[in-house]
Amino acid sequence: MSTTLTIRFAPFSQIAAPKPGRGVKADGTPTVLVVFAGKDGELSVGTKKLLGGAKETVDRAAKATKFKGNVGSSLDILAPHGLAFDRLIVLGTVRKEDEKDLPPQPKDALAGGALMAKLSSACKVSVLFDPPHGASADEGAALAAGMRLRHYKFETYKTKKKDSKDTKGPEAIDVTVGVADPAAVKRAAVVQDAIVEGVIAARDLVNEPANVLTPVEFAKRAAELRKLGVQVDILDVKAMQKLGMNTLLGVGQGSINESRMVVMRWNGGGKAQPVSFIGKGVTFDTGGISIKPAAGMEDMKGDMAGAACVTGLMRTFALRKAKANIIGAIGLVENMPGHNAQRPGDIVKSMSGQTVEVINTDAEGRLVLADVLWYIQDKYKPQFMINLATLTGAILVALGNEHAGLFSNNDELSERLAATGKATGEKVWRLPLSPGYDKMLDSKFADMKNIGGRFAGSITAAQFLQRFVNKTPWAHLDIAGTGMSSPSNDINQSWGSGWGVRLLDRLVAAHYEK
Ligand code: BES
Ligand code: MN
Ligand code: ZN
């Protein structure tokens, strides 16, 4: 059963027991009260007042379950004695020593996610967000954002659950969050909501099947950003031929679904030099003539997670009216075998003028990015380029699902990405680049080949990209392990995670806005 989630903010005074009568609302919806505890289960004055006689029940429950008020732990009490709610949830807020200096995101978002996890069917929820140590407006907004991120489900193609005659449609989870200063929290929530919208847009794109989300359809969805004031240019095959983007076009030539490149621009920074984000958008990766094995190939509908992140990110920037000039560019292709497909041994000339011998048609992402990176660097001279790509299976071998691989020609950009990764929970781990690895790409017949040897697969892929970057500060994030199919967590239960939107939004907010 799917549910709808509505969250509103109100002053503390509005969080009161339902009246008249007790518990269950007139329409039969159970009522839930949520409060927050500090160290050793300590409660704020306001919380104790609201709990009234039920305080004793909480103390007994805390004692019985050794509740210490730590983040992630909770008390869940049904029909609490002396309280006119059907259920009382006490959430812990005490962070571990090493998490003390984390900003509201992700910790309070995680708390929101943990709360959401407890609410699976219709209910009316009153949250008294009044922990004993106090809570900032940002924390209130982050709590709500975490609830929304956790609540997300991709159900577009579940016809039975939505339309079945014998259900009354989705159940409503109706949440009122009581906070000290609702106006301030609502202001903070504009930013948090923009982030949530961006993450959800990215997740939707990654989850969409490849028969629906072709390059042309993806471009159409990106064009919807025009409504938010984003300039969107779509380049078709002819336009890219004119520019000489032959490494990108070679990947898509075996598919009946035509390739596209989309450039999105948000101009919120006056005369400032733009920053840029570039995404791999392989809407499906069969491997091409170097075809992949059948098992698990369905996951390759997510080989556009980089492009999805960039598109979601542009939505976030537009919604929160970021004070920066930001370019988002995505290369959209489908990698298919076919009578016109690229062959192993083919030599193609990239827009940069460099030639590439295609040894393996399954190493296609780097071919796509080579031309998009070059185009953006050449045309816009950005402050930096950050590209995201589900580029190599090898990054899963190295880092699993915990960190994305980071490769960069710039220490400052790398350090900022690493620090922001820790703060948001979207973590990156830097791996090396060096001439020795670069040499592995030398080709007998062309300027380079598109694969290295058997080893260091993620690094040689990054070295390949670097051959299309001049002096521009650049970072490549290999998100094959984080963009899709990673284990679910407090704020994500979806196959497509929307990884990177929160990280890169914060990076820009912290360092590149006026
Ligand atoms: N899209 C894949 C990488 C990938 C693998 C993403 C698993 C997500 C999960 C990429 O295009 C690819 O096929 N890479 C090859 C490179 C090889 C041919 C050098 C790989 O990783 O095997
Ligand atoms: Mn591939
Ligand atoms: Zn791929």
Side-chain angles (χ1 to χ4, degrees):
M1 185 61 178
S2 61
T3 53
T4 60
L5 172 65
T6 319
I7 303 176
R8 60 184 200 94
F9 300 105
F12 286 149
S13 58
Q14 276 190 32
I15 305 299
K19 279 179 204 156
R22 302 169 72 83
V24 176
K25 283 204 37 176
D27 64 359
T29 317
T31 60
V32 183
L33 175 65
V34 181
V35 299
F36 295 79
K39 198 164 178 317
D40 296 322
E42 183 197 350
L43 302 170
S44 68
V45 176
T47 304
K48 280 189 224 160
K49 203 170 143 212
L50 178 60
L51 289 179
K55 166 79 166 63
E56 203 190 310
T57 311
V58 170
D59 289 343
R60 283 175 61 190
K63 206 164 167 200
T65 58
K66 297 199 169 72
F67 177 72
K68 293 276 175 286
N70 292 329
V71 166
S73 67
S74 62
L75 299 173
D76 194 346
I77 304 163
L78 295 178
H81 182 72
L83 196 66
F85 285 90
D86 298 309
R87 186 176 171 191
L88 170 63
I89 298 172
V90 184
L91 289 175
T93 60
V94 181
R95 296 175 185 187
K96 292 199 201 95
E97 241 350 281
D98 61 338
E99 296 172 339
K100 282 261 161 61
D101 50 353
L102 282 183
Q105 282 258 40
K107 282 298 151 204
D108 298 281
L110 296 183
L115 167 56
M116 195 63 231
K118 298 185 172 293
L119 311 172
S120 57
S121 54
C123 52
K124 193 160 165 48
V125 186
S126 302
V127 180
L128 188 74
F129 193 44
D130 182 23
H133 55 80
S136 69
D138 279 340
E139 289 171 315
L143 183 86
M147 293 187 76
R148 292 183 59 200
L149 288 172
R150 170 72 183 228
H151 183 256
Y152 171 86
K153 268 200 184 116
F154 183 75
E155 290 184 322
T156 310
Y157 300 100
K158 299 258 190 191
T159 60
K160 298 246 166 56
K161 291 201 169 154
K162 268 191 176 164
D163 300 324
S164 166
K165 298 267 185 307
D166 50 32
T167 68
K168 287 173 266 146
E171 294 185 355
I173 297 177
D174 191 351
V175 182
T176 303
V177 184
V179 293
D181 183 351
V185 177
K186 277 180 206 162
R187 275 195 302 278
V190 172
V191 174
Q192 290 294 328
D193 283 350
I195 296 170
V196 170
E197 292 298 318
V199 174
I200 286 176
R203 287 180 185 172
D204 277 343
L205 287 166
V206 178
N207 287 327
E208 198 72 65
N211 59 326
V212 175
L213 197 71
T214 60
V216 168
E217 175 62 22
F218 196 135
K220 248 190 228 156
R221 298 206 186 176
E224 286 169 15
L225 289 171
R226 284 176 186 145
K227 284 185 232 149
L228 300 177
V230 179
Q231 288 177 19
V232 181
D233 296 327
I234 300 175
L235 283 78
D236 61 12
V237 170
K238 232 167 122 195
M240 288 189 280
Q241 277 167 345
K242 238 171 122 186
L243 288 164
M245 305 185 93
N246 300 311
T247 55
L248 184 153
L249 289 168
V251 175
Q253 75 187 31
S255 172
I256 194 162
N257 295 306
E258 277 192 20
S259 304
R260 292 288 184 270
M261 176 169 73
V262 181
V263 181
M264 299 162 268
R265 280 176 296 156
W266 173 255
N267 302 315
K271 297 221 169 344
Q273 194 186 359
V275 299
S276 66
F277 299 98
I278 290 123
K280 168 179 173 180
V282 177
T283 59
F284 195 81
D285 181 12
T286 64
I289 297 298
S290 315
I291 199 161
K292 287 182 180 295
M297 205 207 273
E298 66 278 11
D299 279 1
M300 285 303 116
K301 73 171 183 175
D303 206 19
M304 30 55 71
C309 172
V310 170
T311 309
L313 189 60
M314 293 307 287
R315 176 171 290 273
T316 295
F317 289 136
L319 284 171
R320 70 171 183 78
K321 302 196 167 44
K323 291 189 173 55
N325 294 327
I326 305 157
I327 295 166
I330 54 180
L332 302 169
V333 303
E334 185 175 49
N335 189 21
M336 294 287 272
H339 67 277
N340 198 39
Q342 173 156 266
R343 294 150 290 256
D346 281 6
I347 296 179
V348 284
K349 188 173 204 159
S350 70
M351 187 184 170
S352 74
Q354 302 176 91
T355 55
V356 180
E357 183 187 8
V358 179
I359 303 291
N360 189 320
T361 64
D362 196 13
E364 84 297 339
R366 60 199 78 182
L367 297 169
V368 173
L369 288 171
D371 275 337
V372 184
L373 284 166
W374 188 265
Y375 176 84
I376 293 300
Q377 175 177 253
D378 194 49
K379 181 155 182 184
Y380 296 105
K381 318 262 183 285
Q383 280 186 65
F384 69 66
M385 298 195 284
I386 294 178
N387 74 256
L388 299 104
T390 46
L391 205 63
T392 65
I395 204 69
L396 274 145
V397 178
L399 300 175
N401 311 107
E402 269 292 297
H403 290 84
L406 162 65
F407 303 83
S408 179
N409 61 2
N410 187 285
D411 292 343
E412 184 185 55
L413 186 59
S414 297
E415 279 153 24
R416 286 177 173 178
L417 277 164
T420 312
K422 277 189 193 155
T424 56
E426 294 188 329
K427 292 171 287 184
V428 300
W429 196 264
R430 193 175 183 184
L431 292 163
L433 292 167
S434 75
Y437 293 115
D438 186 68
K439 220 174 136 35
M440 294 164 78
L441 295 169
D442 290 347
S443 154
K444 266 203 294 271
F445 300 106
D447 295 337
M448 69 194 88
K449 34 183 201 175
N450 75 329
I451 54 170
R454 209 159 84 77
F455 302 118
S458 301
I459 302 177
T460 51
Q463 292 289 168
F464 184 93
L465 298 182
Q466 195 179 12
R467 288 189 177 214
F468 299 86
V469 178
N470 290 332
K471 292 271 174 287
T472 309
W474 156 78
H476 153 53
L477 299 173
D478 193 334
I479 62 169
T482 53
M484 52 163 149
S485 194
S486 44
S488 47
N489 59 37
D490 275 340
I491 55 172
N492 181 45
Q493 300 283 307
S494 156
W495 183 79
S497 61
W499 192 97
V501 174
R502 291 166 58 247
L503 170 74
L504 299 172
D505 173 74
R506 185 178 276 266
L507 178 83
V508 170
H511 300 288
Y512 301 95
E513 282 187 68
K514 290 188 291 197

